[in-house]
Amino acid sequence: MSSTIVPRQRIQSIDVLRGLVMVIMALDHVRDFFYKTDITKAGDAALNPTNMQTTFPALFFTRWITHFCAPIFVFLAGTSIYLMCQRKTKREISIFLIKRGFWLVVVELLIITFGWTFDPQYHLLIMQVIWAIGISMIIMGMLVLLPYKWMLALGIIIVAGHNILNYSVVNESLKGGLWADLLYFADFSTYQIFKGHYIIIIYSFVPWLGIMLLGYCFGRFYGSSFDPGKRRKILIQLGTGLIFLFILLRLLNMYGDPAPWHEQPRGTVYTFLSFLNVNKYPPSLIFFAMTLGPGILFLGLIEKVQNRFTGILNIYGRVPMLYYILHFFIIHTLVVITFYVQGFGNDDIITEGVPFFFKPGGLGFGLPGVWAVWIFVVVILFPVCKWYDKYKTVNVRTKPWLSYL
């Protein structure tokens, strides 16, 4: 069966939202590298910006706002898969997803890990969001052959039901070990591969697969025959409904997140922060409702908006993989420059117990400095992304490898 040839037409609102989360995401990674900390002090607020005992509002929200990035990005990845299915056969999509999934795992382990660590000997392999997307895409390559309703049901079951695994009565015989952490339970879980070399599992893939499945099903609203006015109304209602679901489940404090909120001795402000402080590793149902609700609402509100701001975000959103890879290397290169400018020497390049080279305790700035570096990184990436977007648009049909970057 041959493909039905349909002109490739991007949906600007999706690219704008994707671009927005890419810009915000860079803030989290700049903070990881540049927020001044003493790695020898376990209670240092910089090591855990959402710790109610040590954080403060500006630091908390610098971290919290970046929670929106991964779920929205993975959700929209699922939507993109659905839209691809409108242009190609499911068999073609299946093959593409499996190949792209394996490629993303390789990118995570070899390219992005090096961007994080600058360690040429790879003493630590980092399994974060790109690995989770890669594994999810490999599985989607098989699931995409199933009927739409089956995929929707599976996505709902995973996202709504996976927090059952947080109860000890359920997970007692499941929790513990590499496979359990790969599937669901990882929380920066570290395993030795061989002497001196480790992997750290930050993202377990099953909850993220559920989000990709729901994103795929969400793509139906962007079918060519779907009325735009009706879509906008549905998106606003759906986004608002998820926000209310987040508030309701969080108020009940019974199901949907393994870390209930509590009244804080530091006052009302910190009690509110506790309310917002939901679980990301692994991501909870409440975490997904809190992040995807505003994201879907934003899609409904931004659909007809075209201005300079949306035009800029659109560029970032059209080339997310290039942006993602490059921003690590730019940030870490700036760390190296800062390392020497702040008076550190070659003996400080490697810090015991820290996998990142050029990241000794005391390096960096306060939050205003972090925000300034973040803006600088985003700005210098714009012309590169703009050039690559034009290059990819012109050449992707004759150079298929471009679809993998």
Side-chain angles (χ1 to χ4, degrees):
M1 181 177 179
S2 61
S3 301
T4 301
I5 299 175
V6 179
R8 190 170 188 263
Q9 192 170 21
R10 298 191 68 99
I11 299 169
Q12 178 176 288
S13 58
I14 290 178
D15 284 331
V16 169
L17 177 57
R18 187 186 289 114
L20 178 61
V21 299
M22 297 305 290
V23 167
I24 294 172
M25 172 209 64
L27 174 60
D28 194 37
H29 299 148
V30 170
R31 178 193 56 78
D32 281 330
F33 279 107
F34 277 99
Y35 188 55
K36 196 170 185 177
T37 180
D38 185 347
I39 52 89
T40 64
K41 295 182 179 179
D44 195 317
L47 299 177
N48 187 358
T50 58
N51 184 334
M52 292 300 107
Q53 282 67 54
T54 56
T55 193
F56 53 94
L59 177 60
F60 177 90
F61 282 109
T62 298
R63 169 57 174 153
W64 180 83
I65 191 64
T66 65
H67 280 342
F68 289 79
C69 301
I72 290 175
F73 188 82
V74 175
F75 186 79
L76 293 181
T79 303
S80 297
I81 293 171
Y82 182 90
L83 295 176
M84 283 192 292
C85 288
Q86 309 309 296
R87 306 190 303 270
K88 298 181 179 181
T89 67
K90 284 195 172 183
R91 183 178 180 276
E92 290 171 328
I93 294 298
S94 176
I95 294 171
F96 171 77
L97 291 176
I98 292 171
K99 290 193 296 185
R100 181 170 173 80
F102 278 112
W103 162 243
L104 289 178
V105 173
V106 172
V107 168
E108 179 80 279
L109 295 178
L110 298 184
I111 300 176
I112 296 173
T113 287
F114 183 73
W116 271 110
T117 66
F118 273 19
D119 176 5
Q121 294 183 305
Y122 289 92
H123 289 97
L124 183 71
L125 296 176
I126 301 173
M127 302 172 72
Q128 208 174 210
V129 66
I130 298 301
W131 114 270
I133 293 175
I135 293 297
S136 296
M137 279 192 172
I138 293 170
I139 298 172
M140 285 289 292
M142 296 175 276
L143 296 179
V144 76
L145 302 174
L146 297 176
Y148 176 91
K149 291 181 179 179
W150 290 22
M151 298 179 72
L152 176 61
L154 182 58
I156 292 173
I157 290 170
I158 292 174
V159 173
H162 75 270
N163 282 121
I164 294 174
L165 294 173
N166 294 119
Y167 293 96
S168 57
V169 67
V170 176
N171 67 36
E172 187 175 359
S173 61
L174 301 174
K175 199 172 182 180
L178 175 62
W179 286 106
D181 285 334
L182 288 172
L183 290 168
Y184 182 76
F185 295 101
D187 183 4
F188 292 78
S189 305
T190 305
Y191 292 89
Q192 181 171 298
I193 308 170
F194 52 90
K195 186 176 181 180
H197 293 266
Y198 301 84
I199 59 169
I200 182 168
I201 307 168
I202 301 175
Y203 279 60
S204 302
F205 74 83
V206 169
W208 299 102
L209 172 63
I211 287 301
M212 189 175 286
L213 279 163
L214 292 185
Y216 173 90
C217 297
F218 179 80
R220 176 165 286 192
F221 297 132
Y222 288 92
S224 58
S225 61
F226 205 94
D227 177 65
K230 183 179 179 182
R231 174 176 62 238
R232 184 173 182 273
K233 183 177 180 181
I234 290 174
L235 297 190
I236 291 173
Q237 291 174 340
L238 182 58
T240 304
L242 284 173
I243 293 172
F244 278 110
L245 177 64
F246 156 68
I247 295 171
L248 175 63
L249 290 177
R250 201 60 173 151
L251 285 173
L252 292 174
N253 229 11
M254 295 173 61
Y255 177 78
D257 196 278
W261 65 278
H262 301 283
E263 184 175 350
Q264 296 296 309
R266 298 176 72 186
T268 304
V269 170
Y270 288 91
T271 298
F272 176 64
L273 298 187
S274 176
F275 187 86
L276 295 177
N277 188 26
V278 293
N279 206 65
K280 183 180 179 181
Y281 306 107
S284 68
L285 168 61
I286 294 179
F287 174 85
F288 284 141
M290 180 187 75
T291 54
L292 291 179
I296 293 172
L297 179 61
F298 179 87
L299 280 175
L301 296 176
I302 203 71
E303 185 157 329
K304 295 184 178 181
V305 177
Q306 293 190 19
N307 53 38
R308 184 174 179 82
F309 179 66
T310 59
I312 292 171
L313 294 179
N314 185 48
I315 295 296
Y316 293 119
R318 289 169 65 93
V319 291
M321 194 62 194
L322 179 77
Y323 175 101
Y324 188 81
I325 293 173
L326 287 182
H327 94 287
F328 281 114
F329 287 88
I330 292 173
I331 292 169
H332 210 151
T333 299
L334 293 174
V335 168
V336 175
I337 295 171
T338 304
F339 175 90
Y340 288 109
V341 169
Q342 293 191 341
F344 294 97
N346 292 340
D347 291 340
D348 302 310
I349 292 175
I350 301 175
T351 302
E352 185 177 356
V354 179
F356 311 134
F357 285 19
F358 302 95
K359 187 67 174 73
L363 179 140
F365 315 106
L367 279 182
V370 169
W371 298 331
V373 174
W374 165 55
I375 293 171
F376 176 76
V377 169
V378 172
V379 169
I380 64 173
L381 274 167
F382 181 76
V384 180
C385 292
K386 187 175 183 180
W387 168 83
Y388 181 70
D389 176 46
K390 290 182 179 178
Y391 179 81
K392 184 176 180 179
T393 300
V394 171
N395 294 286
V396 71
R397 292 187 182 276
T398 58
K399 299 177 180 178
W401 61 268
L402 289 171
S403 62
Y404 291 86
L405 183 61

